[in-house]
Amino acid sequence: MTASALRTRNLAAGYAGTGVLDGIDLDFAARRITAIVGANACGKSTLLRALARLLVPSRGQVLLDGRSIRDIAPKALARQLGLLPQSPIAPEGISVLDLVGHGRHPHQRLFGGFTAADEAAVAEALDATGTRSLAQRDVTDLSGGQRQRVWIALALAQQTGVLLLDEPTTFLDINHQIEVLDLLAALNRDRGTTIVMVLHDLNLAARYADRLVALRAGCVHSAGPPSEVLTEAMVREVFGLEALVMPDPLTGRPMIIPCSRSPTGRRASDRTP
């Protein structure tokens, strides 16, 4: 499986005539992890949808390995690029095993059944996400965290060179957030998968991503290594928040400590009796 690189050139996109993104020029390097960050409604999910060809740009283009994604047949594109959207909905009454098996459809021939390679890919995805014990369960009966891991298993079973994930740690407690991000890091390291993901947690984004893209009001505010992007000025300008930025004691990468907007956020020892 060959890792791919995505590019956007002068990309503009939106919904029902309302613009969201404007003039986006970005390079998502092959075999690297990129995290997209920004305030709510700044265009993060819209950008991911445009990258996945779920949204037709009003201007510009998205390139996969130098080729416009508009020129790639749907099934061929699905073998190269996978997407885990926000809050996906499973069909009623489907089991975990069957749902994850849907990730193999782009690899199957017309009228062809499941092959040994398909079964192995599904089993590997279930094991990687710790969901094998849930295989026979109805997806709708699972907790939010369990469902999220099952959806990630579906994306892994697709075995694409590029994986797009919109808030993959949603509904997960901190332990499972780290498990999922460690899993994605291993996928990137061992398979060379190009990963582009939207994350809300700036500290996790800086820890796991090779590059950060900060969006503000539908435009690129800054893009580059976490050490260059995650600054006090960026947090102030993109999120409207004062914060301290210092080295993460575990990784040496930048981490933020938000400053409270209210006196009630001060330490108890600092408050006047």
Side-chain angles (χ1 to χ4, degrees):
M1 182 172 56
T2 303
S4 304
L6 278 170
R7 296 180 177 180
T8 66
R9 291 294 177 262
N10 194 30
L11 184 70
Y15 306 94
T18 300
V20 177
L21 302 174
D22 186 30
I24 303 293
D25 287 304
L26 286 170
D27 289 273
F28 299 96
R31 301 178 180 272
R32 295 292 182 268
I33 299 175
T34 302
I36 303 170
V37 301
N40 289 342
C42 71
K44 301 185 299 295
S45 295
T46 302
L47 175 57
L48 221 61
R49 287 176 60 83
L51 293 176
R53 205 173 66 182
L54 296 181
L55 186 63
V56 178
S58 57
R59 187 181 73 246
Q61 59 182 334
V62 177
L63 305 172
L64 176 62
D65 285 339
R67 184 182 179 191
S68 173
I69 61 172
R70 291 178 296 184
D71 298 332
I72 303 175
K75 196 165 185 179
L77 183 64
R79 289 194 294 267
Q80 300 174 66
L81 188 152
L83 170 69
L84 175 62
Q86 269 192 55
S87 305
I89 299 175
E92 191 70 28
I94 193 170
S95 72
V96 168
L97 183 63
D98 287 341
L99 181 65
V100 175
H102 282 317
R104 300 304 300 166
H105 286 180
H107 300 273
Q108 294 172 343
R109 296 180 178 179
L110 189 63
F111 305 120
F114 244 50
T115 66
D118 294 327
E119 293 177 355
V122 169
E124 182 180 348
L126 292 171
D127 286 338
T129 54
T131 53
R132 181 183 281 269
S133 63
L134 306 174
Q136 302 306 321
R137 296 272 302 276
D138 189 314
V139 174
T140 57
D141 292 338
L142 304 179
S143 69
Q146 289 172 325
R147 282 197 300 271
Q148 189 69 357
R149 285 189 285 148
V150 167
W151 284 110
I152 292 172
L154 184 153
L156 295 185
Q158 199 170 331
Q159 292 186 329
T160 58
V162 177
L163 187 56
L164 310 177
L165 305 106
D166 198 349
E167 299 183 35
T169 56
T170 298
F171 304 121
L172 301 181
D173 59 37
I174 186 61
N175 177 50
H176 287 120
Q177 288 180 38
I178 297 300
E179 280 188 4
V180 165
L181 292 172
D182 281 346
L183 169 63
L184 295 176
L187 189 67
N188 169 258
R189 181 185 63 246
D190 299 339
R191 296 186 185 176
T193 304
T194 302
I195 293 174
V196 181
M197 58 183 172
V198 170
L199 285 179
H200 273 300
D201 190 312
L202 291 177
N203 289 333
L204 290 179
R207 178 177 291 190
Y208 283 91
D210 300 298
R211 290 176 56 84
L212 297 183
V213 172
L215 296 184
R216 179 186 180 189
C219 299
V220 177
H221 174 277
S222 48
S227 60
E228 296 178 6
V229 174
L230 188 52
T231 65
E232 293 175 6
M234 185 277 279
V235 176
R236 182 185 311 115
E237 294 164 10
V238 170
F239 294 93
L241 178 69
E242 296 295 330
L244 300 177
V245 176
M246 57 187 62
D248 184 323
L250 290 179
T251 66
R253 294 190 174 200
M255 63 175 289
I256 75 160
I257 299 178
C259 298
S260 175
R261 296 178 181 274
S262 166
T264 59
R266 295 179 300 176
R267 294 177 301 174
S269 59
D270 292 338
R271 298 174 190 162
T272 302

